[in-house]
């Protein structure tokens, strides 16, 4: 968990590499569906581009279908889901159905100034979703993904206006979830305003401890 731009996606890929589990990113699933011309992605993008949330029904359904795949039986990481209390309640139901449970919720903290800067400088690969930053994580060749040579682009929702809206929505809809998980004793905070490796190190300390 964490506000937009906190580093969830960047850290998710490091976590899933180390602990060998799939990363389930709702934002990435929506963008992939949009880039593939699928109607669910095209409909979702109407909300996403202005910085609004996609409806709980659509989001829960996309996660439910994804969790049904075989690679989630041992472990999995959720990135960007749940984002509302209704989604958290729906997730609890899905976990009961699969006889699974949440071990930890990692909350990546950051200030609004840092978040604005990060999102304005963020570039994403159209093909594989890898994320870059024009100053802190530059690709070897301008505009080209190091991983797959795909084209890098700026997300439409990383415009100043959309970022403002996303931060407002984070405060009102998503932040209340922190209490939901701290009440269960599974919430851990990590300072996201440190460099990539230090954030990763702090997350690994938490996860190694609960394993
Ligand atoms: P989120 O998934 O939470 O929106 P991302 O992982 O996409 O966040 O990161 C947002 C932007 O900030 C990207 O451009 C990324 O390269 C950059 N970024 C992420 N973590 C750090 C960090 N610790 N230091 C500097 N830049 C970072
Ligand atoms: P970020 O963390 O930078 O906001 P994401 O890739 O997680 O980026 O999400 C991008 C957008 O996709 C969100 O602003 C929202 O419109 C939509 N989205 C992603 N996850 C959810 C979710 N769980 N519920 C509703 N909308 C979502
Ligand atoms: Zn790529």
């Amino acid at each position: 968990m964490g506000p937009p731009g906190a580093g969830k996606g960047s850290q998710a890929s490091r976590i899933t590499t180390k602990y060998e589990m799939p990363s389930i990113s709702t934002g990435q699933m929506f963008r992939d569906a949009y880039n593939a011309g699928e109607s669910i992605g095209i409909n979702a993008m109407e909300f996403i581009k202005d910085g609004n949330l996609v409806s709980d029904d659509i989001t829960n359904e996309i996660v439910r279908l994804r969790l049904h795949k075989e690679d989630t039986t041992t472990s999995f990481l959720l990135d960007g889901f749940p984002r509302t209390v209704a989604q958290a309640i729906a997730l609890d139901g899905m976990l009961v159905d699969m006889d699974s449970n949440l071990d930890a919720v990692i909350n990546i903290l950051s200030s609004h100034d840092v978040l604005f800067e990060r999102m304005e400088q963020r570039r994403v690969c159209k093909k594989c979703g890898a994320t870059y930053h024009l100053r802190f994580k530059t690709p070897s060749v301008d505009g080209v993904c190091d991983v797959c040579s795909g084209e890098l682009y700026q997300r439409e929702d990383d415009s100043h206006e959309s970022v403002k809206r996303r931060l407002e929505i984070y405060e009102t809809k998503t932040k209340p979830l922190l209490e939901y998980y701290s009440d269960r004793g599974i919430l851990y905070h990590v300072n996201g305003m440190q460099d990539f490796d230090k954030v990763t190190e702090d997350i690994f300390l938490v996860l190694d401890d609960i394993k």
Side-chain angles (χ1 to χ4, degrees):
M1 305 233 344
K8 300 183 296 296
S10 305
Q11 297 300 329
S13 66
R14 291 160 171 233
I15 294 168
T16 53
T17 302
K18 173 166 178 188
Y19 298 99
E20 298 182 331
M21 56 174 88
S23 176
I24 301 177
S25 159
T26 39
Q28 193 58 44
M29 286 193 284
F30 289 135
R31 283 188 291 280
D32 287 345
Y34 176 78
N35 288 331
E38 292 166 17
S39 60
I40 190 168
I42 292 163
N43 292 336
M45 196 51 70
E46 285 304 308
F47 297 91
I48 295 172
K49 70 177 172 38
D50 296 326
N52 292 310
L53 291 181
V54 178
S55 78
D56 287 335
D57 286 350
I58 292 177
T59 309
N60 290 337
E61 186 58 10
I62 204 173
V63 174
R64 201 182 58 78
L65 291 172
R66 178 64 186 84
L67 287 176
H68 268 117
K69 291 199 178 167
E70 267 175 16
D71 61 352
T72 61
T73 41
T74 321
S75 53
F76 54 87
L77 176 84
L78 295 166
D79 162 15
F81 179 89
R83 258 176 155 99
T84 64
V85 172
Q87 291 178 13
I89 293 169
L91 174 62
D92 285 339
M94 295 177 214
L95 294 173
V96 169
D97 288 346
M98 26 185 327
D99 197 20
S100 187
N101 66 287
L102 289 182
D103 294 316
V105 175
I106 309 261
N107 182 41
I108 307 182
L109 300 157
S110 202
S111 72
H112 281 206
D113 287 356
V114 169
L115 298 173
F116 267 106
E117 198 273 347
R118 283 196 187 160
M119 281 183 276
E120 278 168 6
Q121 306 279 318
R122 169 162 56 190
R123 295 294 180 274
V124 180
C125 174
K126 202 155 210 166
K127 221 161 110 189
C128 78
T131 300
Y132 298 84
H133 184 284
L134 294 182
R135 277 202 299 138
F136 303 130
K137 191 174 186 292
T138 50
S140 312
V141 180
D142 248 11
V144 180
C145 178
D146 289 345
V147 181
C148 76
S149 301
E151 178 200 342
L152 303 186
Y153 75 110
Q154 179 167 30
R155 279 167 45 176
E156 207 175 336
D157 61 336
D158 278 347
S159 66
H160 196 81
E161 277 313 302
S162 283
V163 169
K164 245 171 80 182
R165 176 98 188 111
R166 283 155 69 203
L167 287 172
E168 278 166 22
I169 291 182
Y170 172 78
E171 294 292 331
T172 55
K173 300 255 172 80
T174 307
K175 223 174 172 182
L177 269 182
L178 297 179
E179 205 176 315
Y180 188 84
Y181 290 120
S182 73
D183 285 350
R184 291 196 195 174
I186 55 167
L187 182 67
Y188 302 87
H189 298 284
V190 167
N191 175 6
M193 293 175 285
Q194 316 175 85
D195 54 65
F196 285 97
D197 290 348
K198 183 69 177 81
V199 180
T200 308
E201 208 179 285
D202 288 356
I203 293 174
F204 287 174
L205 277 179
V206 171
L207 295 178
D208 283 339
D209 205 43
I210 57 141
K211 263 179 84 183

